[in-house]
Amino acid sequence: LKILVCVPPGWRGEASSAAMVLSLNLVPDEVLVLIIEAHSSRFEARVVAPRCREVVDANFKIRHVRPPVGQSFTIDFEVDCPYSKHLYCARFGTPQLFETEGDWSGSVTFLKWLPAHLRSRAHKDIHHILCASDGCTLWKLITKVRDQRCSGPSLPSEKAGHLTVSEGAADCGPTREVIGRLSETETQMLLSVLDYRRNTQAQPLLATAA
């Protein structure tokens, strides 16, 4: 949420925050509603200031999503391509990886699988780090897909992916759910986060570790 605030030179820290809150209090509700409507995430706008939270709660419907069991989940996603398969395995909220319990950052491994007679060399896994916002986005997409499956049958496509989701830590007996084949639209939405060629925020794992 970007709001232009005039802060006198030399103001820092609490003074700047106080100036922003004061400026928000001077903005009419109608104007603030229009600003928040243009924002991509109204839920994130709630944490900017108490005034924003009041306006969001009064004027927008916030959907509450159940968090994954144990605050961690794993995705296995397969996409059929001509003479190959694109395989993605992503893990989020794993303390062993990031040493921060409750952090929804994650890692994704990509593999382009080819049948033996088409391989010129051994398969090579490609690893990337995904940020916490990617984890939240994926979990909301999974929740949306589940809700649609409950409300009625989906219309799968030959170009669609096959999704399996596990919740909970590996040492606590995670629950595994085969959601099955997705629609082409759902597939593209998941790939926009999982595929490092589409997600510009994805960082190579080796480069991050270095």
Side-chain angles (χ1 to χ4, degrees):
L1 182 61
K2 296 182 179 179
I3 300 177
L4 297 178
V5 179
C6 295
V7 179
W11 284 30
R12 295 292 186 272
E14 294 182 1
S16 298
S17 299
M20 184 184 72
V21 172
L22 178 61
S23 298
L24 287 173
N25 288 335
L26 296 176
V27 177
D29 284 355
E30 296 80 4
V31 175
L32 198 53
V33 167
L34 292 175
I35 294 173
I36 296 175
E37 278 183 343
H39 192 247
S40 59
S41 176
R42 291 158 191 167
F43 178 78
E44 292 179 357
R46 297 176 76 251
V47 303
V48 173
R51 173 79 189 290
C52 291
R53 182 170 60 251
E54 294 172 0
V55 171
V56 169
D57 292 345
N59 295 274
F60 300 97
K61 183 178 180 180
I62 300 296
R63 182 186 180 191
H64 297 277
V65 177
R66 175 189 66 80
V69 175
Q71 298 293 322
S72 62
F73 65 98
T74 301
I75 293 176
D76 291 300
F77 194 47
E78 300 181 10
V79 181
D80 292 330
C81 301
Y83 307 107
S84 68
K85 282 181 178 288
H86 287 183
L87 309 178
Y88 302 84
C89 180
R91 294 187 292 171
F92 292 89
T94 306
Q96 291 84 349
L97 287 177
F98 304 100
E99 300 180 356
T100 306
E101 187 173 359
D103 182 6
W104 276 32
S105 300
S107 65
V108 59
T109 300
F110 168 74
L111 172 66
K112 182 178 180 179
W113 180 89
L114 293 168
H117 67 279
L118 293 178
R119 297 176 196 166
S120 59
R121 54 186 177 182
H123 286 140
K124 181 180 179 181
D125 294 345
I126 301 176
H127 307 278
H128 281 77
I129 293 292
L130 299 180
C131 62
S133 62
D134 288 331
C136 292
T137 298
L138 279 173
W139 186 249
K140 287 189 287 186
L141 286 173
I142 291 170
T143 301
K144 183 177 180 180
V145 169
R146 281 172 167 165
D147 291 345
Q148 290 176 343
R149 295 301 183 279
C150 292
S151 61
S154 60
L155 299 175
S157 165
E158 293 181 356
K159 298 181 180 180
H162 187 277
L163 177 63
T164 301
V165 179
S166 300
E167 298 183 47
D171 57 352
C172 298
T175 59
R176 185 172 181 270
E177 177 185 3
V178 179
I179 293 179
R181 192 162 296 279
L182 307 185
S183 69
E184 188 170 352
T185 299
E186 293 167 341
T187 297
Q188 296 305 315
M189 292 174 69
L190 260 70
L191 289 178
S192 68
V193 181
L194 291 173
D195 196 316
Y196 68 95
R197 295 163 295 186
R198 305 189 190 193
N199 185 351
T200 57
Q201 297 186 81
Q203 298 294 323
L205 185 57
L206 293 179
T208 302

